[in-house]
């Protein structure tokens, strides 16, 4: 058993090294089980277990009749895990909302510390015309995802992508409940975030984030027990 464990760990490490050094890039087809087994001088069941482990992590995708491909879609697996935690009541919607608020504050502080921030893409997202609740919810998702992406912290970005996937339906629910004044408040909070990032004002940025999430929490309070 220990020998088999070592073999499949060897295969995982080998593939991860190839991904890290760019030999295997996103979208590339991975070597077959047989090729890996021969290259590493390990058993095919061990290479199969290694590929299954990487697939369960969302790093690769197995396509019937074609092989395994490097997708790096970790966020999808994280969002599935978050949904499972919610179903099992291991976390609450409030836990997710609180985490997102705190994470966004940290990301914005990181942007301010770096001292340079191009708001053009975010401004374009907010100025794009939208029709209907689903488009409004998608606009909100894009804004907050791009905001965290500007931190250049890849771990935060992956987590935010997963949280946004879970949070998207909640935002749509909040927007359905919101009147025109409340929607304008949400837009103003978004603009205040951008303004404070440009000026490097941490306190103002935190206040804008709190304004946004306090309003979302109030709108969701009757639907998600927040």
């Amino acid at each position: 058993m220990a020998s088999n464990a070592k073999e499949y760990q060897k295969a995982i490490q080998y593939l991860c090294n190839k991904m890290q050094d760019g030999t295997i890039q996103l979208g590339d087809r991975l070597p077959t089980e047989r090729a890996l087994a021969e290259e590493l001088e390990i058993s095919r069941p061990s290479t199969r277990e290694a590929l299954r482990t990487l697939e369960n992590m969302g790093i690769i995708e197995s396509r019937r009749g074609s092989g395994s491909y490097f997708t790096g879609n970790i966020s999808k697996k994280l969002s599935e895990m978050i949904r499972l935690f919610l179903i099992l009541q291991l976390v609450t919607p409030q836990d997710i909302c609180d985490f997102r608020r705190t994470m966004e504050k940290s990301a914005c502080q990181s942007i301010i510390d770096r001292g340079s921030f191009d708001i053009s893409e975010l401004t374009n997202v907010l100025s794009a015309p939208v029709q209907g609740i689903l488009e409004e919810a998608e606009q909100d998702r894009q804004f907050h995802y791009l905001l965290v992406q500007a931190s250049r912290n890849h771990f935060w970005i992956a987590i935010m992508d997963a949280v946004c996937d879970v949070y998207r339906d909640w935002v749509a629910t909040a927007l359905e409940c919101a009147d025109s004044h409340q929607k304008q408040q949400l837009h103003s909070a978004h603009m205040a975030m951008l303004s404070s990032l440009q000026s490097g004002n941490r306190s103002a940025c935190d206040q804008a984030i709190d304004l946004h999430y306090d309003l979302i929490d109030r709108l969701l309070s009757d639907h998600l027990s927040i």
Side-chain angles (χ1 to χ4, degrees), residues 101-113:
R101 181 195 300 240
T102 301
M103 181 175 65
E104 198 155 294
K105 286 182 178 181
S106 297
C108 288
Q109 288 177 9
S110 174
I111 294 168
I112 290 172
D113 287 342

Side-chain angles (χ1 to χ4, degrees), residues 1-164:
M1 178 69 71
S3 176
N4 286 341
K6 274 188 175 182
E7 284 192 346
Y8 99 84
Q9 290 169 358
K10 181 179 179 181
I12 290 175
Q13 188 62 58
Y14 173 82
L15 290 170
C16 287
N17 287 342
K18 294 293 185 183
M19 294 169 187
Q20 188 173 25
D21 67 18
T23 304
I24 298 176
Q25 300 187 357
L26 282 175
D28 284 354
R29 185 174 182 270
L30 271 60
T32 64
E33 287 180 12
R34 176 179 294 178
L36 279 172
E38 292 177 353
E39 172 72 20
L40 301 176
E41 297 182 347
I42 60 177
S43 67
R44 287 188 65 179
S46 292
T47 60
R48 188 175 303 119
E49 181 65 21
L51 293 172
R52 186 182 299 118
T53 299
L54 291 174
E55 183 175 12
N56 289 337
M57 293 170 66
I59 295 174
I60 70 172
E61 175 184 299
S62 178
R63 301 173 188 171
R64 183 179 294 274
S66 179
S68 297
Y69 292 80
F70 176 31
T71 59
N73 195 6
I74 298 174
S75 295
K76 180 180 178 181
K77 292 296 180 180
L78 289 174
S79 64
E80 290 174 357
M81 186 180 300
I82 293 170
R83 292 181 193 279
L84 181 59
F85 281 0
L86 287 165
I87 291 171
L88 297 177
Q89 298 183 344
L90 297 175
V91 299
T92 66
Q94 183 66 66
D95 293 333
I96 304 299
C97 293
D98 290 346
F99 174 78
R100 179 174 171 172
R101 181 195 300 240
T102 301
M103 181 175 65
E104 198 155 294
K105 286 182 178 181
S106 297
C108 288
Q109 288 177 9
S110 174
I111 294 168
I112 290 172
D113 287 342
R114 200 171 64 245
S116 63
F117 179 60
D118 181 5
I119 71 167
S120 59
E121 190 172 10
L122 283 161
T123 301
N124 290 339
V125 168
L126 291 182
S127 62
V130 293
Q131 294 183 346
I133 297 300
L134 293 180
E135 287 190 12
E136 290 177 1
E138 177 59 18
Q139 183 183 61
D140 182 87
R141 186 200 69 80
Q142 288 181 19
F143 174 84
H144 291 279
Y145 175 73
L146 288 172
L147 194 65
V148 173
Q149 191 176 52
S151 71
R152 300 178 186 172
N153 184 311
H154 295 291
F155 184 70
W156 283 347
I157 293 168
I159 295 291
M160 187 60 163
D161 196 19
V163 172
C164 280

